Amino acid sequence: MVAGDAAMLPVLCEVAGTGEEDLVSQLRKLRDLDLVFEVSDGQALVYRTAHPVYAEVIYAELPEAVRRRHADVAAALERRGRRPCAARPALS
């Protein structure tokens, strides 16, 4: 996933350039395959990869342009005083 191994839906929608309905449909498919989990961060749902290796493998398979976009998202979040989701403490 973009923004590390976890992200909130609005961030994923913005980066993916797709509507919420389409993205939620895809995320539910991944959830049903136990590849991602929906968890609450206390304010909203966060989508987290089921295992860090999944995120690493997916990231390694992304085209270079998409990996650059990932880095741009992390930099934008940091500029706004928000850490990328992967830098936050793990949710239990």
Side-chain angles (χ1 to χ4, degrees):
M1 299 224 167
V2 177
D5 72 337
M8 291 185 289
L9 187 59
V11 173
L12 292 172
C13 286
E14 184 174 338
V15 172
T18 188
E20 187 174 313
E21 186 176 319
D22 291 335
L23 188 57
V24 167
S25 174
Q26 295 302 316
L27 288 167
R28 285 184 179 149
K29 289 177 186 177
L30 294 172
R31 181 198 61 201
D32 292 346
L33 293 170
D34 293 326
L35 296 174
V36 299
F37 295 114
E38 287 178 340
V39 293
S40 175
D41 71 353
Q43 298 175 353
L45 280 180
V46 174
Y47 293 87
R48 179 176 293 281
T49 55
H51 194 282
V53 173
Y54 294 165
E56 289 178 31
V57 170
I58 293 166
Y59 186 77
E61 294 296 319
L62 293 174
E64 179 63 29
V66 176
R67 287 196 303 263
R68 279 194 304 270
R69 188 179 335 158
H70 180 274
D72 292 344
V73 169
L77 290 171
E78 287 178 7
R79 281 193 301 274
R80 288 167 177 74
R82 296 177 57 197
R83 295 178 295 166
C85 293
R88 293 183 182 155
L91 300 174
S92 41

